Amino acid sequence: MPEPQTQEEVRVRRKLEKEGIVISDKMDKTVVVEVVRLVMDPLYGKYLRRRSRFMAHDEKNECKTGDRVRIQESRPLSRRKRWAVKEILEKAAQ
């Protein structure tokens, strides 16, 4: 029978964080964040842009389109929403 783990033995998994641009804020308490990453082509060695879109929870509806934000992994909040806005890094120019 396994022994119960103590506080020191339990390892907490770090939550992933990503930075991206808010491309939509039309939903209530939800924003769509686009994260761009560079991937090298295996044959030609050229860097290609790959984008991913994440729906993130924005509790206070603070984010606007064009803001640079940091999102953090969270528990599933809806069918497609598994990220939460951690902080706004840069506000969009109005």
Side-chain angles (χ1 to χ4, degrees):
M1 192 159 124
E3 297 179 20
Q5 294 180 342
T6 62
Q7 287 282 341
E8 296 81 32
E9 294 175 1
V10 177
R11 292 194 49 111
V12 179
R13 184 177 167 289
R14 287 186 71 192
K15 294 182 179 182
L16 292 177
E17 291 185 357
K18 297 181 183 291
E19 288 184 17
I21 307 287
V22 175
I23 56 172
S24 173
D25 64 341
K26 294 179 192 255
M27 295 166 277
D28 186 35
K29 296 188 179 181
T30 304
V31 292
V32 179
V33 179
E34 186 173 81
V35 177
V36 177
R37 60 190 173 93
L38 292 177
V39 178
M40 185 184 282
D41 184 275
L43 180 61
Y44 298 109
K46 179 180 179 178
Y47 282 99
L48 305 170
R49 286 180 187 230
R50 295 286 181 231
R51 70 178 188 187
S52 302
R53 292 182 178 189
F54 299 98
M55 289 182 127
H57 185 66
D58 180 19
E59 183 63 39
K60 299 174 186 169
N61 278 329
E62 292 176 325
C63 298
K64 302 296 177 203
T65 303
D67 291 352
R68 252 184 72 233
V69 295
R70 179 172 288 130
I71 57 176
Q72 183 179 41
E73 196 176 29
S74 70
R75 66 181 176 86
L77 298 169
S78 70
R79 190 177 90 178
R80 295 190 56 212
K81 201 159 69 163
R82 274 106 174 98
W83 297 83
V85 175
K86 184 176 181 182
E87 63 181 314
I88 299 173
L89 301 172
E90 183 181 326
K91 293 295 253 179
Q94 294 292 333

